[in-house]
Amino acid sequence: MKRNYYDLDDGEFAAAMAASAFAICSLEENAGSQYQKKTRGPVIWPTEAEIMTITPTTNDKMQNGISRGSRKAENEADVWEKAQIAKIRKRHDELLSALFAWENEKKMMAKQQMERRKNQLELAMKRNLQHYKNKLARIDHIAKGARTQAEEKRRYEESIVKEKSNKMRLTGNGPVTCFCF
């Protein structure tokens, strides 16, 4: 069975993956969509000069908030806030979706492994039971043979005793015992 380096039993890998996915998504969002290519190519990060040019314009809008366009600035701020919150929620949903997919895959693999082990155990139990039954049959066969032999030996010994007793009746002599040293 192939075991990947990331197939750990504990949650360290999952936490690391979630953290790295979150960090990548955060970096992409902070960089802004105007600096990213839409293809799967490398991400182009803004230079310091570009950041400097972006920052003063936003600060200028905030400083002039009480002026004639304060309503417009508040509306723009509300729109921007809603857009950013929507982006955050979308990114969060995608991250949760990826985590759920990973979790479900790991649970499914664990369940399959448990089922495989359960089937192996059942097969081993069946083999063990068959081995036990074979041993009992062999023991029964041996015991039956031994009983038969013992019965035959008893009958043979009884027949010898009966023959001797018949001879003693015919001759009138008792059994001969020898005390020879």
Side-chain angles (χ1 to χ4, degrees):
M1 182 171 100
K2 182 179 175 187
R3 183 172 174 101
N4 295 324
Y5 66 93
Y6 58 83
D7 195 17
L8 300 175
D9 290 333
D10 55 9
E12 290 178 14
F13 181 74
M17 285 297 295
S20 62
F22 181 75
I24 290 171
C25 291
S26 296
L27 286 175
E28 288 176 353
E29 182 186 312
N30 290 339
S33 61
Q34 67 226 17
Y35 298 109
Q36 297 178 5
K37 291 185 178 178
K38 296 297 179 188
T39 62
R40 290 191 129 202
V43 175
I44 300 172
W45 301 103
T47 62
E48 279 188 44
E50 291 171 330
I51 293 172
M52 297 289 253
T53 58
I54 293 172
T55 309
T57 58
T58 347
N59 288 338
D60 288 341
K61 285 182 182 178
M62 287 184 183
Q63 290 171 359
N64 294 333
I66 303 177
S67 68
R68 194 178 91 162
S70 67
R71 284 252 186 238
K72 185 178 178 184
E74 286 178 15
N75 288 340
E76 286 180 10
D78 290 341
V79 169
W80 178 85
E81 180 184 7
K82 288 179 183 177
Q84 293 301 315
I85 288 175
K87 280 184 186 178
I88 290 169
R89 288 185 178 163
K90 181 181 177 189
R91 185 179 66 240
H92 178 72
D93 290 344
E94 289 173 356
L95 180 63
L96 284 181
S97 174
L99 288 173
F100 284 133
W102 178 85
E103 178 185 16
N104 289 337
E105 179 187 357
K106 293 300 175 184
K107 285 181 179 180
M108 182 182 66
M109 289 174 61
K111 185 176 181 179
Q112 287 175 346
Q113 186 178 21
M114 186 224 17
E115 290 294 328
R116 251 186 271 121
R117 287 182 179 168
K118 184 178 173 184
N119 291 340
Q120 288 173 349
L121 284 173
E122 287 175 359
L123 182 62
M125 286 178 60
K126 286 179 184 177
R127 286 181 187 157
N128 193 21
L129 183 62
Q130 187 62 39
H131 181 71
Y132 173 72
K133 287 179 180 179
N134 290 343
K135 263 190 170 180
L136 287 181
R138 190 170 38 248
I139 290 169
D140 286 344
H141 179 70
I142 292 170
K144 184 178 179 182
R147 279 193 296 270
T148 305
Q149 279 183 340
E151 189 67 28
E152 287 176 6
K153 185 176 180 181
R154 182 188 60 81
R155 276 190 242 133
Y156 174 73
E157 289 175 351
E158 285 178 357
S159 68
I160 291 176
V161 168
K162 286 181 181 180
E163 285 178 17
K164 284 185 180 180
S165 66
N166 286 337
K167 278 186 185 178
M168 287 173 25
R169 282 189 194 106
L170 289 176
T171 59
N173 295 334
V176 178
T177 55
C178 181
F179 292 105
C180 303
F181 292 99

